[in-house]
Amino acid sequence: MKLQDVTEGGDNENMSISNAEMKVMNHIWKTGAMITVPEMLAILNEEGEEWTYPTVATFLRRLETKGILGVTKKGNKLCYFPLVSKEQYETKEAEGFVESKFGGSLKNFLVAFRGSDKISKKDMNDLKAWLDELDD
């Protein structure tokens, strides 16, 4: 999957990532630079968790397979870099969630999220303002 597929509505079935993969991606997005397995391992272990080289390497390969990361070789090291921004990923995940769980209906999602079909005046005004911004 290429970035173009993600941004132009391509197949994003493989875009979903696990919580552990998201932890890795959040560091990559935050770093904003190419990263090697040993560098990612050091970052993750600094958080007090015990990650192993094979586990980190597996997550990075999975993220590459899903089209979220790209990889290039520099010398004898593989360097991973994001193909998708955090914002692009979150947008596609949200769209996929609303589509799969609520038939693509934002209204049905908001009703379920709210817990009823009643919404506060403030929330209604915020939504109206947001929708008006989208219409401009």
Side-chain angles (χ1 to χ4, degrees):
M1 176 186 308
K2 298 177 183 136
L3 180 59
Q4 167 182 332
D5 294 332
V6 174
T7 58
E8 293 178 8
D11 175 29
N12 72 334
E13 289 296 317
N14 293 332
M15 288 261 326
S16 291
I17 61 177
S18 70
N19 289 339
E21 290 169 334
M22 181 58 88
K23 191 174 279 195
V24 169
M25 280 309 302
N26 279 329
H27 285 294
I28 291 172
W29 284 320
K30 185 178 177 182
T31 303
M34 284 194 231
I35 195 158
T36 64
V37 174
E39 291 167 338
M40 179 55 68
L41 180 62
I43 290 169
L44 292 167
N45 284 337
E46 282 176 14
E47 294 182 336
E49 296 183 42
E50 292 191 24
W51 291 68
T52 64
Y53 186 98
T55 300
V56 173
T58 297
F59 284 143
L60 291 171
R61 277 192 309 274
R62 283 185 194 162
L63 290 163
E64 178 196 2
T65 300
K66 293 177 183 186
I68 297 170
L69 288 180
V71 64
T72 189
K73 195 164 188 173
K74 288 195 172 189
N76 63 350
K77 295 181 182 181
L78 293 177
C79 297
Y80 294 87
F81 56 92
L83 294 175
V84 177
S85 72
K86 185 171 184 169
E87 294 76 21
Q88 289 169 318
Y89 175 78
E90 289 172 344
T91 297
K92 278 312 221 184
E93 278 295 290
E95 288 171 355
F97 178 77
V98 171
E99 184 62 41
S100 68
K101 306 293 185 212
F102 299 95
S105 170
L106 185 58
K107 178 187 176 245
N108 290 346
F109 166 73
L110 292 172
V111 168
F113 183 73
R114 179 73 173 115
S116 73
D117 57 4
K118 294 183 180 179
I119 191 166
S120 74
K121 192 109 173 135
K122 181 191 179 315
D123 286 341
M124 194 178 321
N125 289 334
D126 287 348
L127 281 171
K128 284 179 183 177
W130 177 69
L131 290 169
D132 287 342
E133 286 176 25
L134 290 177
D135 199 29
D136 289 338

